[in-house]
Amino acid sequence: QEHQDQIDHLRAVHLEAIQERYLKSYEHKLADLTDELDRIDAELKLREFECVSTEFLLYRKTCLQTRLEKLAVSPRHSKGPPILRPSRKVIQK
Protein backbone atom coordinates (compact mmCIF):
# COMPACT_ATOMS: atom_id res chain seq x y z
CA GLN A 1 0.00 0.00 0.00
CA GLU A 2 2.86 2.38 0.80
CA HIS A 3 4.33 1.83 -2.66
CA GLN A 4 0.96 2.32 -4.31
CA ASP A 5 0.60 5.68 -2.52
CA GLN A 6 4.02 6.71 -3.81
CA ILE A 7 3.10 5.60 -7.34
CA ASP A 8 -0.18 7.54 -7.17
CA HIS A 9 1.65 10.62 -5.92
CA LEU A 10 4.26 10.41 -8.70
CA ARG A 11 1.52 9.99 -11.30
CA ALA A 12 -0.26 13.05 -9.95
CA VAL A 13 2.97 15.09 -10.04
CA HIS A 14 3.68 13.90 -13.58
CA LEU A 15 0.14 14.74 -14.74
CA GLU A 16 0.38 18.19 -13.17
CA ALA A 17 3.70 18.81 -14.96
CA ILE A 18 2.14 17.82 -18.28
CA GLN A 19 -0.85 20.10 -17.66
CA GLU A 20 1.44 23.02 -16.86
CA ARG A 21 3.40 22.36 -20.05
CA TYR A 22 0.25 22.53 -22.17
CA LEU A 23 -1.72 25.10 -20.14
CA LYS A 24 -1.25 27.79 -22.75
CA SER A 25 -2.62 25.45 -25.38
CA TYR A 26 -5.60 24.64 -23.14
CA GLU A 27 -6.33 28.32 -22.49
CA HIS A 28 -6.05 29.08 -26.21
CA LYS A 29 -8.51 26.30 -27.12
CA LEU A 30 -10.93 27.43 -24.44
CA ALA A 31 -10.75 31.05 -25.64
CA ASP A 32 -11.31 30.02 -29.28
CA LEU A 33 -14.32 27.86 -28.41
CA THR A 34 -15.80 30.58 -26.23
CA ASP A 35 -15.30 33.20 -28.95
CA GLU A 36 -16.97 31.04 -31.58
CA LEU A 37 -19.86 30.27 -29.24
CA ASP A 38 -20.33 33.99 -28.51
CA ARG A 39 -20.35 34.80 -32.25
CA ILE A 40 -22.90 32.07 -32.95
CA ASP A 41 -25.10 33.33 -30.10
CA ALA A 42 -24.95 36.85 -31.56
CA GLU A 43 -25.82 35.56 -35.03
CA LEU A 44 -28.69 33.42 -33.72
CA LYS A 45 -30.28 36.52 -32.19
CA LEU A 46 -30.50 37.99 -35.71
CA ARG A 47 -31.97 34.88 -37.37
CA GLU A 48 -35.46 33.59 -37.93
CA PHE A 49 -35.83 30.00 -36.78
CA GLU A 50 -37.43 28.79 -40.04
CA CYS A 51 -34.07 29.11 -41.80
CA VAL A 52 -32.12 25.89 -42.46
CA SER A 53 -28.78 27.46 -41.61
CA THR A 54 -30.18 28.32 -38.19
CA GLU A 55 -30.52 24.60 -37.59
CA PHE A 56 -26.85 24.20 -38.35
CA LEU A 57 -25.93 27.02 -35.99
CA LEU A 58 -28.01 25.45 -33.22
CA TYR A 59 -26.28 22.11 -33.83
CA ARG A 60 -22.86 23.80 -33.81
CA LYS A 61 -23.74 25.66 -30.60
CA THR A 62 -24.58 22.35 -28.89
CA CYS A 63 -21.31 20.84 -30.10
CA LEU A 64 -19.32 23.81 -28.79
CA GLN A 65 -21.09 23.71 -25.43
CA THR A 66 -20.26 20.01 -25.10
CA ARG A 67 -16.60 20.64 -25.94
CA LEU A 68 -16.43 23.53 -23.46
CA GLU A 69 -17.94 21.37 -20.72
CA LYS A 70 -15.38 18.63 -21.43
CA LEU A 71 -12.53 21.15 -21.24
CA ALA A 72 -13.87 22.54 -17.97
CA VAL A 73 -13.80 19.10 -16.29
CA SER A 74 -10.49 18.20 -14.70
CA PRO A 75 -9.27 14.63 -14.13
CA ARG A 76 -9.62 13.29 -10.61
CA HIS A 77 -6.80 11.47 -8.88
CA SER A 78 -7.34 8.48 -6.67
CA LYS A 79 -6.01 10.54 -3.75
CA GLY A 80 -6.33 14.27 -3.20
CA PRO A 81 -8.50 17.04 -4.64
CA PRO A 82 -8.99 17.53 -8.40
CA ILE A 83 -6.78 20.00 -10.23
CA LEU A 84 -8.87 23.11 -10.84
CA ARG A 85 -9.00 24.73 -14.25
CA PRO A 86 -10.59 27.99 -15.26
CA SER A 87 -14.02 27.43 -16.74
CA ARG A 88 -16.84 29.41 -18.29
CA LYS A 89 -20.23 28.32 -17.11
CA VAL A 90 -22.37 27.76 -20.17
CA ILE A 91 -26.04 28.58 -19.75
CA GLN A 92 -28.34 27.23 -22.42
CA LYS A 93 -31.19 29.59 -23.26
Side-chain angles (χ1 to χ4, degrees):
Q1 178 61 31
E2 179 183 340
H3 295 292
Q4 186 62 44
D5 289 343
Q6 289 176 332
I7 291 170
D8 290 343
H9 175 71
L10 290 174
R11 281 186 181 148
V13 169
H14 181 66
L15 180 61
E16 187 174 356
I18 290 171
Q19 287 178 333
E20 286 177 8
R21 181 176 175 190
Y22 294 104
L23 185 61
K24 184 175 183 179
S25 175
Y26 167 80
E27 290 174 344
H28 183 72
K29 287 178 189 177
L30 189 60
D32 285 349
L33 291 171
T34 301
D35 179 58
E36 186 175 354
L37 182 58
D38 289 343
R39 289 185 291 139
I40 288 173
D41 278 338
E43 184 66 25
L44 281 171
K45 290 177 182 175
L46 303 174
R47 300 280 179 118
E48 295 295 323
F49 284 95
E50 293 84 23
C51 182
V52 173
S53 59
T54 299
E55 293 173 358
F56 172 78
L57 287 176
L58 288 169
Y59 169 76
R60 183 68 181 140
K61 177 180 176 177
T62 302
C63 292
L64 288 169
Q65 287 174 325
T66 301
R67 288 178 65 190
L68 282 168
E69 288 168 2
K70 286 180 181 178
L71 282 174
V73 173
S74 63
R76 290 186 174 256
H77 305 294
S78 58
K79 305 267 182 189
I83 297 171
L84 299 177
R85 294 185 180 182
S87 66
R88 175 181 182 259
K89 187 169 184 155
V90 178
I91 298 173
Q92 193 166 4
K93 295 180 181 179

